[in-house]
């Protein structure tokens, strides 16, 4: 069963348009939502959370509508700011949410506060941005949701806390009944924990793929302009020029190497792939 199912989502305002976005997030999976600023990641997550209504398209969370209160109770969402009043403390927030969510786990909430080093009685307004974000994450987890929607949830956190949080995400999906969809500009976090990645560019899904297969198969070919001129356009996806060489993103390193054994071929990363799709040029953009 898919925890998240989206079909042909469209949302427009001003000069931005989310165009026919479709994807699935199976149970027991962590899926990373990649893309540059303004690609549509936050819009997509807010549509899924029910904070925005799509102009058209369909959404199913756990088989139901995100507007259904019973479904929304199964969803934990964290966006790029802490939504609680600055005069509240973490303990005040916990008592408030315990009255909203029947599944609120006060002991687990206290455990998260300790794990994330969030002062339980200090006013939220006096907390750093990173600590406020950790509080929001603790709140999202403590009502034991089956889906987590996270928009730049690790932004502003130091590497040690981020690493601990990523481990917590891996623990969360171990029973194969939970799922996470998260966006992050820190592509190294996606490389550590994501099973699949969805790449959004200018409001459209460019690709969705299993992360390990993507990183194993894709590569970067580096050569001079003369060698590049001999390449068949069908053998690479995108190209960019640097001061040192011409770089090509290829979809299958093994096939490319057999055809062009003299050309330097390197492994790639999610960050490099994103940069090629946002800044590169070539057959894919024709």
């Amino acid at each position: 069963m898919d925890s998240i199912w989206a079909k042909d989502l469209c949302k427009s305002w001003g000069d931005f348009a989310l165009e026919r976005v479709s994807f699935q997030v199976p149970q027991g999976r962590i899926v990373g939502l990649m893309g540059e600023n303004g690609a549509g990641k936050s819009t997509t997550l807010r549509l899924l959370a029910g904070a925005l209504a799509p102009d058209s398209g369909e959404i199913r969370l756990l088989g139901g509508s995100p507007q259904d209160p019973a479904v929304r109770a199964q969803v934990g969402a964290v966006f790029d700011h802490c939504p609680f009043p600055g005069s509240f403390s973490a303990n005040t927030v916990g008592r408030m949410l315990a009255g909203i969510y029947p599944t609120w786990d006060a002991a687990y909430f206290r455990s998260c506060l300790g794990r994330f080093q969030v002062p339980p009685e200090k006013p939220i307004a006096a907390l750093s941005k990173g600590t406020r974000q950790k509080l929001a994450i603790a709140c999202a987890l403590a009502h034991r949701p089956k889906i987590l929607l996270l928009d730049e949830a690790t932004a502003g956190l130091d590497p040690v806390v981020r690493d601990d949080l990523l481990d917590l995400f891996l623990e969360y999906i171990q029973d194969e009944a939970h799922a996470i969809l998260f966006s992050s500009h820190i592509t190294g976090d996606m490389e550590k924990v994501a099973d699949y990645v969805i790449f959004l560019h200018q409001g459209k899904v460019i690709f969705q793929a299993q992360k390990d297969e993507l990183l194993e198969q894709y590569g970067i070919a580096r050569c001079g302009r003369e060698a590049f001129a001999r390449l068949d356009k069908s053998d690479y996806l995108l190209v960019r020029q640097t001061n040192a060489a011409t770089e090509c993103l290829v979809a299958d390193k093994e096939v490319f190497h057999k055809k062009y054994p003299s050309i330097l071929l390197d492994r790639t990363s999610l960050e490099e792939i994103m940069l090629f799709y946002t800044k590169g040029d070539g057959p894919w953009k024709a």
Side-chain angles (χ1 to χ4, degrees), residues 182-210:
F182 79 107
S183 72
S184 178
H185 285 99
I186 307 171
T187 53
D189 287 354
M190 288 191 189
E191 291 189 9
K192 179 174 181 180
V193 300
D195 301 295
Y196 296 84
V197 292
I198 300 167
F199 181 65
L200 279 175
H201 178 57
Q202 296 179 351
K204 299 177 182 178
V205 173
I206 303 305
F207 66 76
Q208 45 190 311
Q210 189 175 43

Side-chain angles (χ1 to χ4, degrees), residues 41-110:
K41 304 185 299 299
S42 295
T43 300
T44 299
L45 288 164
R46 290 180 183 277
L47 289 169
L48 295 175
L52 292 175
D55 296 337
S56 60
E58 299 178 68
I59 299 171
R60 290 290 180 267
L61 304 180
L62 304 170
S65 166
Q67 302 300 331
D68 183 339
V71 172
R72 296 183 76 162
Q74 303 277 351
V75 179
V78 179
F79 295 102
D80 57 359
H81 68 283
C82 183
F84 307 114
S87 60
F88 281 21
S89 68
N91 279 345
T92 304
V93 171
R95 289 191 294 269
M96 178 185 70
L97 295 179
I100 296 174
Y101 293 106
T103 54
W104 184 261
D105 188 332
Y108 183 60
F109 180 64
R110 290 192 297 271

Side-chain angles (χ1 to χ4, degrees), residues 27 31 60 74 106 146 168 187 194 207 226 230 256 258:
Q27 287 182 328
V31 177
R60 290 290 180 267
Q74 303 277 351
K146 291 185 178 179
L168 188 61
T187 53
F207 66 76
E226 187 175 321
R230 295 196 296 269
F256 188 91
K258 286 181 179 178

Side-chain angles (χ1 to χ4, degrees), residues 17 31 44 68 73 81 107 119 122 126 135 147 158 165 168 171 173 186 188 193-194 227 250 266 278 284:
V31 177
T44 299
D68 183 339
H81 68 283
K122 195 171 184 179
L135 171 59
I147 295 173
D158 66 66
L165 185 60
L168 188 61
E171 294 169 15
I173 54 93
I186 307 171
V193 300
V250 301
D266 292 330
T278 55
W284 174 83

Side-chain angles (χ1 to χ4, degrees), residues 272-285:
E272 287 284 353
I273 292 171
M274 186 173 74
L275 288 174
F276 265 101
Y277 274 97
T278 55
K279 295 184 175 182
D281 198 4
W284 174 83
K285 290 191 173 181

